[in-house]
Amino acid sequence: MQRSEFFKNFWRKPIFATIIAILSGFIVAAIILASAGYNPWTSLGALFYGMFGRPKYISNVIIKSTPIIVTGLSVAFAYKMGLFNIGAEGQYIMGALAANVVGYLVDAPAIIEIPLIILAGVAAGALYGGIIGLLKGRYDINEVITGIMLNWIALYFSNYIVNLEIFHKPNTASMYAINESGYTSLFTQWKTTEAAATFFQEHPFIGDIMRTDVNMGFIIAVALTIFISWVLFKTTKGYQLRAVGYAQEAAEFAGIDVKKNVIQTMLIAGGLAGMAGVLNITGIFPHAVSQLSAFESYGLNGLCVAFIAGGSPIGCILAGLLFGGLLYGGQSLQYMAGAPSEIINIMIGTIVFFVGLEGLVGMIVDRIEKRKAAKSKESGSSDSGKSGSGTGGSDKKETVTTETKQEIQSPELKTLETGKSQ
Amino acid sequence: MKKWKAAAAVVLTIVLLSFTLTGCSMPQKDDSTFSVTMVTSDGGINDQSFNQSSWEGLQKFAEETGSEVRYIESKQPSDYLTNLDRATDSYPDLIWGIGYTFADPILTIAKANPDMSFAIVDNAYDDTPFNVTGVVFRAEESSFMAGYIAGMSTKTDKVGYVGGMKSAINDQFQYGYDAGVAYAAKERGVKIEVMNQLVESYTDAAKAKAIANKMFSQGADIVFHSAGGAGQGVIESAKDNGKYAIGVDRDQSYLAPDNVLTSALKNVDTAVELVCQEKMDGQDIGGQTLSFGLSDDAVGIPTENKNMDPEVYEKAMEVRQKIISGEIKVPATEEAYNAYAASLGQ
């Protein structure tokens, strides 16, 4: 009973529209590839091979996705209370920078070192996000504007610190790496031993995976996602945040301190984005911040991830994996098929665009349903009532909730789109 | 709960789809064809500079020898190691890392793959692993010529230099150039002021342009740059101000035909080609650093310089001979430059 209901309503759900959007992205990319003279089938084949073709590719996709999932989570969290955290990029930079500075200066055993680095990175990100929250909550300055400006400040501040003599590693473009006790990579020491080499020869599958920077990051990202879901949906605080997000005035009338909530939300969102920076510094080579000439786009990709996920924390994991896969696999698109890797950006843009048109899919579904209903009425079939008014009470209820959801989402989606174009 | 199921369905679809596609697999190792793969730095393949030159060298090499060449583009420094690792998947005979920022990644990957050969452009290790070849350029030699030409051509007796980031490589350009200007100043018996500034980036063209604008407004009439992609800002600035810029790495006169005086060439393509050829011929090039300079035609200035006084060009060619013969010892570091400047002063 439940199963049939699930399938009947599946194509009315946001997730269906998202799948359509992702497929559209692939189709548009295929058309562009074909018109540029590349075989779309082999090109997309190369893309998928680059994502899943070898155990280490899958491992690299997960590694690449980890920070994007966490920044996506940061954006999604702030978004739940109606805040558009475009400043995630800056918070990421500050988190990574603080993690690197502390990880380099402090040389303690891993059990102290790692928590210390995490604390530093999260605190830096949280404070940086808190600035946005404070300006928004206290003085009602738009968080998009302050966010963008603070991103640039973070970029140049980071470059300044990277080039300070005590931190800059000579003849490189980066800082000194953090001390090895701060690595969250797994088996770093063991990997280079001879015992490991023979083990890898006997177990090529594991050996292949071990060639990558396997680290704890993804597990931490999943744990954070569960934690954030719990905060949002199972605690009073989360209820307040969501209430403010749905209807600020109503929430204020109900006695929720909106200003305080804005600041707290931005502190948490900033801390999350900072955590993404920590995961990158502790987890992957070169374990250091490099001089940046442009944004690395971890925060901005987080926006897209949160958007594709429809603001759902769990969805961020899936959208993050998709994103990481496209970014990583895209490099083999060019290596193997010769097609420019920019096609990946077109694909991502198309997906985001079609996710923005989510309402359209609903409309099309409505129209198809109506036409079907009309047809079945014409033919005088007995089950005409099934698709029209709905036979079961639960069925009706389900339709109502999805509709209200869409209504609520549409103004939010507009905000997201305008933000993206900045 | 339903959301969960739907999500599971998506993941399953993607995974299944991927299995059907694994049929189109990677090109496997083919012993009969010599193959080379290069990994670009984060400037990208069309950086009008190193990556592009290297790729052109490889393409030429492929044309002449029928070898197979590929490149992988990096978007950010954390991509370097994963891209090098990806390059090893097809077992090429030689893997290039383009630029000194590859120093650590190449060391790591070379250690993990003792059965493969690697080369790095623009980096010399203190202790080169047996399967790594460092390729460096005596860029101070071409910069000296650029400085000499600037010193001979300036009308205001003020010239500028816009560098990328502080490094041993960048020092070669800066002090080579400064020394060339000083040499010209001595020959002309005047004092020439050199304004030196770094962009702190190889991609921030807007900042480089602002720096060059400032130098031109302070009276400089020729500005030399060694700021990679960012240097395009310097050339734009020369165009806007109606002054001269000196290009770097490639003949950059096509960017502003009337405003590029000359270019300090670093023929990375020549060097890349030479090294590939040596490797193909079966020479053991690992464990050492190969240095290329004026004598190899790996650095120099273009033969066509329509904005330059032919007399200056003739003199610059004399200077070139003096550098090759060792009569002029070009400084490449601050210390050497100070000693050199002192020796000129006498």
Side-chain angles (χ1 to χ4, degrees):
Chain A
M1 181 63 205
Q2 226 196 342
R3 170 173 281 194
S4 66
E5 246 172 54
F6 167 70
F7 279 112
K8 204 162 62 193
N9 288 312
F10 179 70
W11 42 306
R12 280 199 159 277
K13 285 183 200 301
I15 185 112
F16 175 68
T18 309
I19 292 169
I20 294 289
I22 292 169
L23 283 177
S24 311
F26 279 97
I27 292 166
V28 169
I31 292 170
I32 291 172
L33 280 168
S35 60
Y38 300 101
N39 181 339
W41 183 244
T42 43
S43 301
L44 292 182
L47 174 66
F48 277 97
Y49 182 82
M51 286 197 251
F52 307 103
R54 283 178 66 156
K56 75 170 174 190
Y57 294 167
I58 299 176
S59 171
N60 268 334
V61 167
I62 292 172
I63 291 167
K64 189 105 187 164
S65 311
T66 304
I68 313 176
I69 291 171
V70 181
T71 50
L73 202 57
S74 159
V75 176
F77 183 76
Y79 190 45
K80 273 281 183 271
M81 81 160 291
L83 289 173
F84 186 58
N85 187 19
I86 202 169
E89 187 74 43
Q91 294 144 19
Y92 167 88
I93 293 173
M94 295 308 263
L97 187 67
N100 194 344
V101 167
V102 170
Y104 169 61
L105 293 179
V106 181
D107 191 5
I111 193 117
I112 303 167
E113 179 92 357
I114 294 175
L116 211 58
I117 294 174
I118 291 177
L119 197 69
V122 170
L127 285 176
Y128 213 63
I131 298 173
I132 299 175
L134 194 70
L135 290 171
K136 171 82 179 178
R138 210 31 97 63
Y139 307 106
D140 204 24
I141 302 172
N142 192 310
E143 77 277 9
V144 172
I145 294 172
T146 49
I148 292 173
M149 292 190 172
L150 285 168
N151 284 350
W152 287 104
I153 295 172
L155 179 78
Y156 286 110
F157 179 71
S158 172
N159 282 351
Y160 169 74
I161 298 291
V162 169
N163 281 314
L164 285 182
E165 207 162 318
I166 46 163
F167 296 125
H168 190 90
K169 195 175 175 192
N171 289 328
T172 66
S174 50
M175 283 169 77
Y176 283 108
I178 61 170
N179 291 300
E180 265 186 47
S181 55
Y183 288 10
T184 53
S185 332
L186 297 168
F187 316 114
T188 18
Q189 294 291 331
W190 178 71
K191 256 197 253 188
T192 50
T193 60
E194 267 184 41
T198 46
F199 178 80
F200 291 157
Q201 258 168 7
E202 284 161 25
H203 303 83
F205 187 86
I206 299 173
D208 204 35
I209 289 182
M210 279 300 160
R211 285 174 71 101
T212 64
D213 273 331
V214 180
N215 65 65
M216 300 281 291
F218 188 70
I219 299 165
I220 297 174
V222 172
L224 276 174
T225 313
I226 294 167
F227 175 70
I228 290 298
S229 296
W230 177 76
V231 169
L232 273 176
F233 300 107
K234 299 278 185 247
T235 65
T236 322
K237 186 90 251 160
Y239 182 79
Q240 288 185 353
L241 295 182
R242 283 183 295 133
V244 176
Y246 280 134
Q248 190 175 329
E249 262 109 54
E252 201 161 16
F253 186 70
I256 297 171
D257 187 344
V258 173
K259 286 179 180 174
K260 204 173 102 191
N261 270 303
V262 165
I263 297 172
Q264 284 173 346
T265 305
M266 283 311 297
L267 278 172
I268 296 174
L272 281 169
M275 186 68 197
V278 172
L279 292 180
N280 252 5
I281 293 296
T282 57
I284 62 171
F285 186 87
H287 296 285
V289 175
S290 294
Q291 160 110 27
L292 298 173
S293 44
F295 291 121
E296 288 186 287
S297 289
Y298 285 110
L300 303 176
N301 287 342
L303 285 177
C304 297
V305 164
F307 186 45
I308 293 173
S312 131
I314 305 289
C316 281
I317 297 182
L318 297 173
L321 283 171
L322 174 77
F323 226 85
L326 289 177
L327 289 177
Y328 178 73
Q331 282 164 339
S332 71
L333 182 71
Q334 167 200 57
Y335 173 51
M336 286 171 57
S341 59
E342 275 75 15
I343 201 79
I344 293 301
N345 295 336
I346 297 177
M347 198 187 279
I348 289 169
T350 316
I351 293 173
V352 172
F353 180 74
F354 278 100
V355 169
L357 293 180
E358 193 181 18
L360 193 72
V361 176
M363 269 164 62
I364 293 169
V365 167
D366 269 346
R367 181 158 295 181
I368 294 171
E369 238 179 22
K370 260 185 206 158
R371 198 172 288 173
K372 245 190 193 168
K375 235 183 198 172
S376 54
K377 226 180 217 172
E378 256 173 42
S379 62
S381 162
S382 60
D383 57 8
S384 59
K386 215 177 190 179
S387 48
S389 54
T391 42
S394 64
D395 195 350
K396 200 169 184 181
K397 202 174 144 203
E398 183 62 44
T399 340
V400 170
T401 39
T402 35
E403 265 169 21
T404 35
K405 222 184 203 170
Q406 270 175 2
E407 254 167 52
I408 292 161
Q409 260 174 4
S410 46
E412 292 174 344
L413 291 172
K414 268 180 208 153
T415 345
L416 257 179
E417 266 181 334
T418 33
K420 178 95 177 76
S421 61
Q422 326 229 347
Chain B
M1 267 331 274
K2 286 175 185 172
K3 244 185 190 170
W4 265 104
K5 278 188 192 164
V10 181
V11 174
L12 215 65
T13 323
I14 294 175
V15 170
L16 285 178
L17 196 62
S18 72
F19 280 127
T20 61
L21 283 164
T22 40
C24 21
S25 67
M26 271 300 290
Q28 289 301 307
K29 178 162 173 59
D30 175 8
D31 280 325
S32 58
T33 331
F34 188 82
S35 66
V36 183
T37 299
M38 64 171 257
V39 180
T40 78
S41 65
D42 57 352
I45 194 78
N46 293 317
D47 63 347
Q48 310 284 350
S49 183
F50 264 40
N51 294 319
Q52 197 171 341
S53 295
S54 307
W55 179 234
E56 282 166 5
L58 279 189
Q59 281 173 311
K60 212 167 139 219
F61 176 70
E63 240 169 64
E64 283 165 10
T65 60
S67 311
E68 200 176 357
V69 294
R70 291 202 188 90
Y71 73 90
I72 306 178
E73 203 168 14
S74 307
K75 300 274 182 237
Q76 50 195 233
S78 57
D79 286 342
Y80 295 169
L81 193 60
T82 46
N83 282 347
L84 285 169
D85 187 46
R86 195 190 274 281
T88 62
D89 292 348
S90 59
Y91 297 98
D93 295 274
L94 187 61
I95 296 173
W96 284 92
I98 310 300
Y100 71 89
T101 47
F102 273 88
D104 286 343
I106 286 274
L107 276 187
T108 313
I109 198 80
K111 200 179 168 200
N113 299 279
D115 53 337
M116 284 189 231
S117 296
F118 300 87
I120 178 167
V121 170
D122 239 8
N123 189 65
Y125 293 103
D126 293 330
D127 185 17
T128 317
F130 73 94
N131 57 343
V132 175
T133 310
V135 173
V136 294
F137 297 86
R138 297 192 292 276
E140 67 272 19
E141 296 181 353
S142 54
S143 301
F144 187 94
M145 288 177 71
Y148 177 77
I149 291 165
M152 296 304 282
S153 311
T154 176
K155 303 276 186 292
T156 58
D157 289 346
K158 276 182 191 166
V159 296
Y161 164 77
V162 179
M165 286 192 265
K166 181 82 183 162
S167 69
I169 301 289
N170 203 68
D171 282 354
Q172 292 181 333
F173 287 98
Q174 179 172 348
Y175 296 114
Y177 177 76
D178 289 0
V181 174
Y183 187 83
K186 197 191 174 198
E187 191 178 314
R188 285 176 51 204
V190 292
K191 206 174 167 329
I192 302 176
E193 187 193 332
V194 190
M195 304 171 206
N196 291 302
Q197 196 174 340
L198 300 181
V199 190
E200 302 294 355
S201 156
Y202 282 106
T203 45
D204 193 345
K207 196 176 167 194
K209 187 174 176 178
I211 292 171
N213 278 339
K214 204 181 85 199
M215 288 178 175
F216 287 130
S217 70
Q218 285 173 356
D221 60 348
I222 299 168
V223 174
F224 172 51
H225 83 86
S226 68
Q232 289 176 36
V234 173
I235 293 170
E236 251 176 64
S237 165
K239 206 171 166 183
D240 292 353
N241 289 291
K243 301 279 170 60
Y244 288 118
I246 299 179
V248 81
D249 296 346
R250 310 154 47 83
D251 183 355
Q252 293 187 314
S253 57
Y254 69 95
L255 289 171
D258 296 326
N259 301 88
V260 172
L261 187 61
T262 183
S263 298
L265 302 181
K266 206 183 224 187
N267 298 326
V268 184
D269 47 348
T270 312
V272 164
E273 227 187 312
L274 280 171
V275 173
C276 286
Q277 190 64 51
E278 280 182 25
K279 175 75 191 169
M280 195 178 182
D281 294 344
Q283 289 183 38
D284 184 21
I285 55 167
Q288 53 181 314
T289 300
L290 306 173
S291 165
F292 295 91
L294 281 178
S295 49
D296 307 290
D297 263 335
V299 302
I301 60 166
T303 44
E304 295 286 324
N305 303 279
K306 69 163 190 148
N307 297 319
M308 200 196 299
D309 187 349
E311 207 174 303
V312 173
Y313 182 76
E314 288 304 318
K315 281 185 176 165
M317 284 298 128
E318 282 166 30
V319 167
R320 177 175 181 272
Q321 280 309 322
K322 282 184 187 164
I323 295 172
I324 293 175
S325 68
E327 196 177 319
I328 299 174
K329 292 256 181 295
V330 182
T333 60
E334 191 172 357
E335 267 177 22
Y337 170 73
N338 289 335
Y340 179 81
S343 75
L344 277 184
Q346 281 166 8

